[in-house]
Each structure stands twice: as C-alpha cells, then as structure tokens.
Amino acid sequence: MSALEVLKKTLLLLLLAPISWGMAGPAGMDLQAAEVSARDETVFSPRLLRLIEQSGSEEPVPVIVTTAKTADAADEEEARGAGATVHRRFAHLDGYAAWIPAGSLWRLALGRNVRHISPDLPVRSSNDLNFVTVGADLAATWLGEDGSELDGSGVTVAVVDSGIADHPDLGGRLLAEAEIVLHEKGFVDYYGHGTHVAGIIAGDGASSSDPASFRRFNGIAPGAGLVSVRVLGSDGAGRVSGVMAGIDWG
C-alpha cells in the first residue's frame, strides 16, 4: 500500500470513529482529524500528494511547513511528536523545514499552528535576464530625461545565489555576506552563477574597458552596493528551505 493510501485511509478512519478517538486522544482531536480530512487538498500541496504517492510510508520526505504564526519551540516539539526532524526554523517567515516519514504527514497536519505543508524541493541556478529584456534601457531613457543618472547609487541589492566572488567589475561595492550553505566566510563563489547575476545587476564594466575589448559590458545598476547571500553549493544546487533561509536572513 502506498503512503498516500495509508494517509487517506487513516484520515477516513479518524473521521468515522470520532467517539473512540475522543476517548483515546486529547479533547477535540476528532474535530481536528475531520478538519484535515476535509481540507487535505489545501493543507497538502498537490506536488506533495504526488510525492507521497511515489514514496513508501517510512520513506523520509523533506517538507516546508507554513504556520499561522511564527514557529516556536512548541511547534518544533509538536513536530517531533509527529515523527518529524526539524532542521531549520525561520525567524521572520512563518514556518519551518523538516524531514518526516511520508506515512506520518497526517499527524503533522493536525498541528495547532500548521496551515500548509509543501515539499522542500531541490533548486538549481539558471541564466538570468539581461539589460534590455528587463526594460532597464527604457527605464534609463524615460526616467533619466532630467539628466540624472539611474545607476543604483544609494541602493543595496542582496543576491541570494551561489555567492559573489570579489571581481574587478564590482569594485569596492561588496558590502556584506551571509553563509546559509558551506559556512565559509568571505566573498567566494565556487559555482559562478551568483557572480554572474551580480554582474548583471551591478557590474561597472571595468574588465571590458581595455583596448582589447570590443565593447563595454556593464550591469543595470553599476553604482549599487551588493550583499552576497550564499544558498547554493559548489554544484549550483540547494533546497527551497535554504533559499527561504537566505531571504529570512535579510
């Protein structure tokens, strides 16, 4: 029997036996079980339901749990009671990331503060948009008609990616860095994508200004400051929870 079948049958049994459940468990638990059964299509994301269907009941599944209010130690204890291992609790986002056997997800969904559960999916870097594609050339033309330069001066941009290497095109505008993965201090980028994105955002074209270059390649806001938030590893991969932690850090 698949984990999804176990999940649905368990919820059905809970719904059909409110009296015995009320005697064996905490008061009101039968109503909670009925509620989860009625709203399982919204508590569990469709992608998570598909993942459960493909998993054995004991197979650990990585999940993001969205809570009604900021998760605290009580939520973490409750999750452990449901069989989950919480590995990241967010400070500014309502929720946490955990691993839990697929067959135990129904218990996690009964949590007093749980609003939604989705899979903590792998993420990878991809190419970014260029100056013309995002309309930066039009913005510079229309908004800079008074002669002012729209170069990002006074603006700081956080790049949530694989890190930012100290590159000549970024001048002295690397202001701070945060390590969500690898935990190696300093402006480094073992994959290269974060530096590529930082160049698109704020490169000043210093490296393509010599006589050997056929044109100058500068970013959209060459006066902007940059903060490196490294959430992808040296292979350019990570998880949704890591990206969320990078956003949460700010």
Side-chain angles (χ1 to χ4, degrees):
M1 184 181 297
S2 70
L4 182 60
E5 291 172 328
V6 171
L7 176 66
K8 288 186 173 180
K9 287 190 175 182
T10 303
L11 289 172
L12 182 60
L13 287 173
L14 288 172
L15 185 59
L16 293 176
I19 297 177
S20 61
W21 178 268
M23 293 173 61
M29 188 66 81
D30 54 326
L31 297 178
Q32 290 180 324
E35 181 184 359
V36 171
S37 181
R39 65 189 176 109
D40 63 349
E41 293 299 321
T42 56
V43 173
F44 302 110
S45 74
R47 186 169 290 187
L48 180 59
L49 288 173
R50 290 195 296 271
L51 180 61
I52 294 170
E53 194 168 28
Q54 299 165 4
S55 307
S57 61
E58 298 302 318
E59 185 174 343
V61 175
V63 294
I64 301 290
V65 179
T66 302
T67 51
K69 60 181 181 179
T70 304
D72 55 22
D75 291 290
E76 194 165 341
E77 182 178 354
E78 193 174 68
R80 283 196 299 269
T85 300
V86 177
H87 63 86
R88 196 185 297 279
R89 183 149 47 97
F90 304 112
H92 306 293
L93 303 175
D94 294 335
Y96 57 87
W99 286 82
I100 185 169
S104 298
L105 276 163
W106 67 270
R107 294 176 60 194
L108 188 62
L110 292 172
R112 58 179 176 78
N113 198 22
V114 174
R115 292 186 59 187
H116 187 71
I117 306 176
S118 59
D120 186 5
L121 296 170
V123 294
R124 292 196 64 84
S125 58
S126 61
N127 197 12
D128 208 328
L129 304 172
N130 59 37
F131 191 84
V132 175
T133 303
V134 301
D137 58 331
L138 299 177
T141 300
W142 295 341
L143 302 179
E145 291 178 347
D146 61 354
S148 62
E149 288 192 27
L150 299 176
D151 66 352
S153 295
V155 175
T156 300
V157 181
V159 180
V160 183
D161 208 289
S162 59
I164 304 177
D166 191 1
H167 191 280
D169 279 20
L170 304 178
R173 290 174 289 115
L174 293 175
L175 305 179
E177 56 91 24
E179 302 294 329
I180 306 302
V181 299
L182 300 181
H183 304 294
E184 178 184 346
K185 299 297 182 182
F187 294 104
V188 293
D189 179 8
Y190 293 113
Y191 189 68
H193 189 267
T195 307
H196 162 69
V197 171
I200 290 174
I201 295 171
D204 64 8
S207 298
S208 55
S209 300
D210 61 350
S213 301
F214 70 90
R215 58 158 290 189
R216 182 186 178 99
F217 292 91
N218 61 275
I220 295 170
L226 294 165
V227 173
S228 171
V229 183
R230 185 153 45 143
V231 301
L232 301 179
S234 58
D235 58 353
R239 285 195 176 275
V240 171
S241 58
V243 176
M244 291 176 67
I247 297 171
D248 188 57
W249 172 85

